[in-house]
Amino acid sequence: MEDAVDAELTVAEPLETAAAALPGRELAEELHHGQFPSLVRFLLLQGASWPEAQDAAQDAFTQMCAPGLSIAYPKAWLRTVATRSWLRQQVKPEDACAEPPEPYGVVRWHTPAHAVEIGEEERRVIALLLQLPAKQRAAMAWHLDGFTTEESARAMGTTQAAVRQNLTRARAALKAGLGLCGGDGVKEPGGER
């Protein structure tokens, strides 16, 4: 039986629609202020440290300014390029076919301002997110950034079914980690059944 949330994902409004491609430099200037923080957050949720996420996000905007480049889906393009940039930071040339690196077990990317704003429950959810396998983390990061399963699949180079499956598994792991799962969907007092 398909999860109700998955059904909503398939009918959601697309975050981006194909439009006339603009030159990259114009897009970079237009998008930098609004997209840079969400691009950094996207990378943080995949396991990047704060400096790694900022470097990879800036690298994506720099690459967007390349002469002759025109981009039809700029938000997805930025996330794809930033993810690749972050992975290049992590993987040595001899390990080019390796899986994406596993994040550290603790949340290590807070800035002083963010450390004040983030609550204990959010810290716990983020720590659980960082423990997910790489594909589940990536699918969840795309989803949390507002992309549909179709957009996520296209950007990740996989099928919509694979994205939905990874989202379902990620949600189940998060529910279990937070103690929210039970046969009837009701959490028992004390967390035990």
Side-chain angles (χ1 to χ4, degrees):
M1 181 176 212
E2 188 174 304
D3 189 39
V5 178
D6 286 340
E8 291 178 297
L9 288 175
T10 59
V11 296
E13 290 284 323
L15 186 63
E16 283 188 291
T17 55
L22 293 173
R25 185 175 177 99
E26 288 179 25
L27 277 171
E29 291 171 358
E30 181 181 318
L31 294 174
H32 191 274
H33 181 71
Q35 286 297 307
F36 189 84
S38 62
L39 185 56
V40 169
R41 178 181 153 271
F42 174 80
L43 294 165
L44 294 172
L45 291 176
Q46 291 196 55
S49 68
W50 182 258
E52 291 167 346
Q54 287 184 315
D55 287 347
Q58 188 59 46
D59 184 50
F61 276 103
T62 301
Q63 288 184 43
M64 186 178 258
C65 293
L69 183 66
S70 64
I71 302 165
Y73 298 98
K75 294 175 185 175
W77 186 92
L78 280 169
R79 282 154 182 76
T80 301
V81 172
T83 300
R84 289 178 185 158
S85 178
W86 170 60
L87 290 174
R88 277 194 307 273
Q89 293 176 30
Q90 305 300 308
V91 180
K92 297 176 180 123
E94 62 269 12
D95 296 335
C97 294
E99 285 292 313
E102 291 301 320
Y104 297 99
V106 296
V107 180
R108 59 187 176 98
W109 46 266
H110 298 181
T111 64
H114 192 254
V116 171
E117 295 171 3
I118 190 169
E120 186 59 36
E121 187 173 293
E122 188 176 353
R123 282 189 183 100
R124 190 167 162 217
V125 170
I126 292 169
L128 289 170
L129 274 171
L130 295 178
Q131 293 174 7
L132 295 174
K135 290 180 181 179
Q136 291 177 23
R137 274 194 324 268
M140 189 60 78
W142 282 95
H143 172 69
L144 291 174
D145 255 13
F147 287 85
T148 65
T149 54
E150 179 183 355
E151 292 166 329
S152 300
R154 183 176 57 237
M156 294 170 63
T158 188
T159 64
Q160 290 184 51
V163 171
R164 282 192 296 273
Q165 182 180 39
N166 282 314
L167 282 172
T168 300
R169 289 178 178 171
R171 286 185 190 112
L174 292 173
K175 285 178 184 177
L178 293 170
L180 300 176
C181 58
D184 55 4
V186 178
K187 183 179 173 185
E188 294 287 328
E192 297 180 26
R193 289 195 132 279

